[in-house]
Amino acid sequence: MPHGESTEGRPVEDALQSRSVLVERLGVTIDPELLTLALTHRSFAYENGGLPHNERLEFLGDSILGQAVTVRLYLDNPDLDEGALAKRRASLVSGVALAEIARRLGLGEFLRLGRGEELTGGRQKVSILADTVEAIIGAAYLSIGGEQATALVLRLVGPLMSDPARFGAALDPKTALQELADQRHASAPVYEVVGSGPDHAKVFRATVTSEGLPTGRGKGSSKKHAEMAAALDAWSRATSTSA
């Protein structure tokens, strides 16, 4: 590898500078090598001679995430029984929830992906985004310890935890939008989806309209994900307008 270049073909200084933006968004100091590892998907590792990848950190972060969310839910909801707490916890640590956190951080732009994943929209895939959030939590734990890593988890999950309605919509936005349309006596949501790009790397853009509700728009690596993004956009616009 030429001196002064990263394994991604960019100058080392550029790679470090871009990741410093992510560190700033996270609000914690993470060891640079651990952060790079957390951002390295196995597809990149395999295409570059079997480098280490983020799955061990993901395993660690999953445990820290679950514990932090469980304790906070238990302390903040004394009236909820075990079943209700378990259901809420499962939702908060779900792939959909973690992917929303990742998008809020703009995490996709920092991922180290193999060519195959790059060409098939890996930067927007729910599973990859969710796994990377867990890996970053694991990297934070090793860098700054359990107390600060827990604080990071609660800061990331906090917006969903404090807004159950938004969280429910994030889990199943199409159903949430349909229910909102019913409540407001609006027409049933209608989705239009257009795909662009080559077959192996299509990007889908969806628009959802309903008489009585704001228009929503979204994009994704599949029609389903694009429609979900559009539904969540419409739901968010409608509820923020009425707030």
Side-chain angles (χ1 to χ4, degrees):
M1 182 174 65
H3 179 69
E5 287 193 3
S6 71
T7 54
E8 297 149 291
R10 292 182 299 171
V12 171
E13 292 81 7
D14 289 352
L16 292 175
Q17 183 176 11
S18 69
R19 285 177 198 148
S20 71
V21 173
L22 177 57
V23 169
E24 186 176 344
R25 292 175 188 173
L26 290 167
V28 295
T29 300
I30 298 178
D31 177 86
E33 289 188 9
L34 285 173
L35 181 59
T36 296
L37 182 59
L39 295 168
T40 302
H41 187 255
R42 64 177 177 271
S43 62
F44 181 92
Y46 293 163
E47 289 181 16
N48 287 271
L51 296 172
H53 52 77
N54 64 8
E55 289 183 1
R56 279 174 52 84
L57 284 176
E58 175 197 336
F59 171 80
L60 176 61
D62 175 70
S63 178
I64 297 159
L65 170 70
Q67 181 183 44
V69 170
T70 298
V71 172
R72 177 51 59 90
L73 285 173
Y74 180 88
L75 295 176
D76 287 356
N77 300 278
D79 297 331
L80 293 183
D81 62 20
E82 179 188 4
L85 287 170
K87 183 176 180 181
R88 193 166 291 191
R89 177 182 60 192
S91 298
L92 286 165
V93 301
S94 70
V96 173
L98 295 180
E100 183 177 356
I101 290 168
R103 293 188 184 101
R104 196 167 69 234
L105 292 168
L107 196 56
E109 66 185 278
F110 302 101
L111 297 176
R112 303 172 87 200
L113 298 177
R115 180 172 174 79
E117 285 292 352
E118 191 76 68
L119 292 174
T120 56
R123 294 184 188 278
Q124 296 185 46
K125 287 185 180 177
V126 168
S127 60
I128 292 178
L129 291 173
D131 291 347
T132 306
V133 170
E134 291 180 336
I136 285 175
I137 292 168
Y141 177 87
L142 295 176
S143 298
I144 57 180
E147 186 175 341
Q148 289 189 62
T150 295
L152 171 64
V153 169
L154 297 178
R155 190 161 64 250
L156 294 176
V157 178
L160 295 177
M161 192 177 287
S162 63
D163 188 355
R166 162 139 186 107
F167 177 63
L171 276 180
D172 190 354
K174 294 182 72 172
T175 297
L177 184 63
Q178 180 64 62
E179 291 175 349
L180 184 63
D182 293 342
Q183 291 169 10
R184 299 190 180 183
H185 305 290
S187 64
V190 176
Y191 295 85
E192 293 184 8
V193 184
V194 176
S196 60
D199 289 341
H200 64 273
K202 273 191 179 298
V203 175
F204 295 89
R205 290 175 171 79
T207 302
V208 58
T209 55
S210 167
E211 262 185 62
L213 295 177
T215 296
R217 295 179 175 83
K219 65 180 180 178
S221 56
S222 69
K223 290 181 180 180
K224 177 183 176 181
H225 288 146
E227 288 181 351
M228 289 174 65
L232 183 58
D233 181 50
W235 184 91
S236 298
R237 290 172 185 273
T239 54
S240 64
T241 299
S242 61

